[in-house]
Amino acid sequence: MNRRDALTAHLEFFEELGAEGFSRDPAWRFRGPVPAEPRSGANEPAPVANEPAPVANEPAPGAASSTDATTPNTLTRIREELGDCTRCKLHQGRTTLVFGVGRPDADLLFVGEAPGRDEDQQGEPFVGRAGQLLTKIIESIGLTRDQVYIANVIKCRPPNNRNPELDEVRTCEPFLFQQLDVIRPRVVVALGAFAVRTLLGSDQSISQLRGQVFDYRGAKLVPTFHPAFLLRSPDRKRDVWEDMKKVRALLA
Ligand code: URA
């Protein structure tokens, strides 16, 4: 794609998202240099004016289960602990365990459901069609994939992309919680009902939950529609743009 086509596609995406105009004010898109070292105080809740914080979720029991007193928990250590995981039946059909990708000290973390076929092949979350849309969503608030962290609740592809089962979630979620505790993002975006229900322990629908901001493990949690759903229901992109504007404000 040449530059002109890329720019046209980008503007069309903004139009689809319902973005109204652009500001020439550099502050609108500028985000200062991201510190190389983990931030101090990153776990303090971001100030949010007029945002409800309906759920204060407890840290999950499995979050630090296997961290011994002498080994600092890092993403590398969590990945090593997962190893060539055979803890649940999903290992039987996977090609690659999909751990997560991005900045280990990202301010913004996206959580999806589980790898699909492309992710299973490539070992990276959100690289298929839904992933390409997620990349555009990230870019719509002036960030790149490299500046955020992307993970899934489930690390191995369920056969034929079926919904993950409860035992699979219970087995895999402690690793996501550990990732969250190491990265300590300021904002977590839960992509779709499955991610938000797992994180918040809620049984409400994504339509009921989105539009709100929740306190979650020292971060702000913003539920939004899953990009795969947006591919089927493009008219809901406008809602996602509203959610992403909230995310941008929380990060500002
Ligand atoms: N859908 C997800 O929830 N995660 C991926 O990594 C890809 C598609």
Side-chain angles (χ1 to χ4, degrees):
M1 192 187 284
N2 64 33
R3 277 182 171 216
R4 191 190 176 93
D5 291 345
L7 183 62
T8 306
H10 193 67
L11 291 173
E12 279 171 4
F13 174 68
F14 266 95
E15 204 174 315
E16 279 178 44
L17 283 177
E20 285 158 7
F22 301 90
S23 169
R24 296 176 75 104
D25 177 356
W28 189 77
R29 62 189 150 80
F30 179 75
R31 186 164 176 267
V34 189
E37 295 300 318
R39 303 160 307 278
S40 63
N43 246 8
E44 284 159 20
V48 194
N50 302 323
E51 292 293 358
V55 175
N57 216 35
E58 290 298 316
S65 58
S66 56
T67 309
D68 68 43
T70 54
T71 316
N73 214 10
T74 62
L75 292 177
T76 307
R77 203 207 57 75
I78 301 166
R79 180 64 191 87
E80 279 169 8
E81 188 190 336
L82 263 166
D84 191 16
C85 186
T86 55
R87 291 170 181 82
C88 85
K89 55 191 175 300
L90 290 182
H91 79 276
Q92 292 160 1
R94 71 152 186 257
T95 310
T96 323
L97 187 151
V98 181
F99 180 66
V101 70
R103 279 194 72 118
D105 61 348
D107 281 340
L108 177 57
L109 190 149
F110 290 84
V111 179
E113 179 174 324
R117 194 190 49 199
D118 295 312
E119 292 76 21
D120 176 63
Q121 294 292 324
Q122 297 182 42
E124 182 172 328
F126 283 100
V127 289
R129 276 187 70 220
Q132 285 158 24
L133 181 53
L134 176 62
T135 302
K136 288 183 177 179
I137 290 168
I138 293 167
E139 290 171 351
S140 74
I141 55 164
L143 296 174
T144 64
R145 276 176 77 103
D146 295 346
Q147 290 175 303
V148 305
Y149 196 89
I150 307 172
N152 284 308
V153 175
I154 300 280
K155 308 293 189 230
C156 299
R157 182 192 182 200
N160 302 317
N161 297 343
R162 68 155 166 74
N163 288 339
E165 293 170 359
L166 191 60
D167 63 305
E168 296 157 0
V169 178
R170 290 289 172 261
T171 307
C172 217
E173 65 183 3
F175 295 97
L176 173 66
F177 298 144
Q178 288 191 52
Q179 286 173 296
L180 281 158
D181 288 343
V182 165
I183 297 167
R184 297 196 304 158
R186 288 167 54 209
V187 181
V188 176
V189 176
L191 298 165
F194 187 83
V196 69
R197 285 182 187 170
T198 303
L199 294 175
L200 294 181
S202 163
D203 57 6
Q204 287 185 291
S205 72
I206 182 70
S207 299
Q208 287 170 311
L209 292 167
R210 73 150 290 281
Q212 305 179 63
V213 177
F214 298 86
D215 286 318
Y216 182 74
R217 293 170 101 89
K220 294 292 174 188
L221 186 143
V222 179
T224 196
F225 292 121
H226 193 286
F229 170 74
L230 294 183
L231 291 173
R232 299 191 298 273
S233 308
D235 53 314
R236 307 315 293 267
K237 285 182 184 168
R238 185 177 288 266
D239 293 326
V240 174
W241 173 235
E242 290 305 319
D243 299 333
M244 292 310 293
K245 283 194 286 186
K246 263 190 199 121
V247 170
R248 190 173 63 191
L250 288 166
L251 291 170

